[in-house]
Amino acid sequence: MEYAALCMALILGSPPASAQEVFDLQFDHSTVLVSNLEASAAFYATVLQLGEVKTPWGPTAPIRFYSVGGNWQLHVGQSDQTIEPDKNTHLAFAIQNFDAYLRFLRDQGIRVCGFPRQS
């Protein structure tokens, strides 16, 4: 099947016969880029309390791996590019005691945006 025909088949929602195979696709990890790996590693380990996972490249590689539950990981990689925060590109975590965690973040000196002030 030609590339254009394959694209058209996928767009129209009728997969080609060869796409009937099940591949058991599962989420594995996501990567975020940071400008200061050591400061970011401290944040993910201390503030988010994520457990670090050994990377295949050793502790001097410009990347850190963290467990985010189950078999899922967050990879945090050093970048020399300018990193502009974008609310539309983000990670989201669920937490059991939201108000207590907001207090914990504020106690850690973490500025929290978008939530009402608590007295």
Side-chain angles (χ1 to χ4, degrees):
M1 177 180 279
E2 291 182 28
Y3 174 74
L6 175 61
C7 288
M8 183 60 93
L10 292 174
I11 290 170
L12 295 176
S14 93
S18 63
Q20 299 298 322
E21 185 173 350
V22 176
F23 293 102
D24 193 28
L25 184 70
Q26 296 180 15
F27 183 79
D28 182 74
H29 73 274
S30 187
T31 301
V32 296
L33 296 177
V34 298
S35 56
N36 183 326
L37 185 60
E38 295 309 315
S40 297
F43 173 83
Y44 286 102
T46 305
V47 176
L48 295 185
Q49 301 178 357
L50 300 179
E52 191 165 355
V53 177
K54 209 184 299 184
T55 71
W57 305 288
T60 60
I63 192 165
R64 300 290 184 272
F65 291 5
Y66 295 92
S67 173
V68 291
N71 293 324
W72 302 344
Q73 293 183 0
L74 173 64
H75 296 179
V76 179
Q78 176 80 35
S79 177
D80 294 331
Q81 299 174 1
T82 300
I83 298 170
E84 296 291 334
D86 181 349
K87 186 177 181 178
N88 295 312
T89 304
H90 65 274
L91 300 170
F93 295 97
I95 191 153
Q96 295 297 316
N97 191 338
F98 186 72
D99 291 334
Y101 193 67
L102 282 179
R103 284 191 299 276
F104 168 76
L105 292 176
R106 290 184 176 115
D107 290 347
Q108 297 296 312
I110 305 298
R111 187 171 56 104
V112 177
C113 301
F115 299 106
R117 288 185 174 264
Q118 295 182 0
S119 21

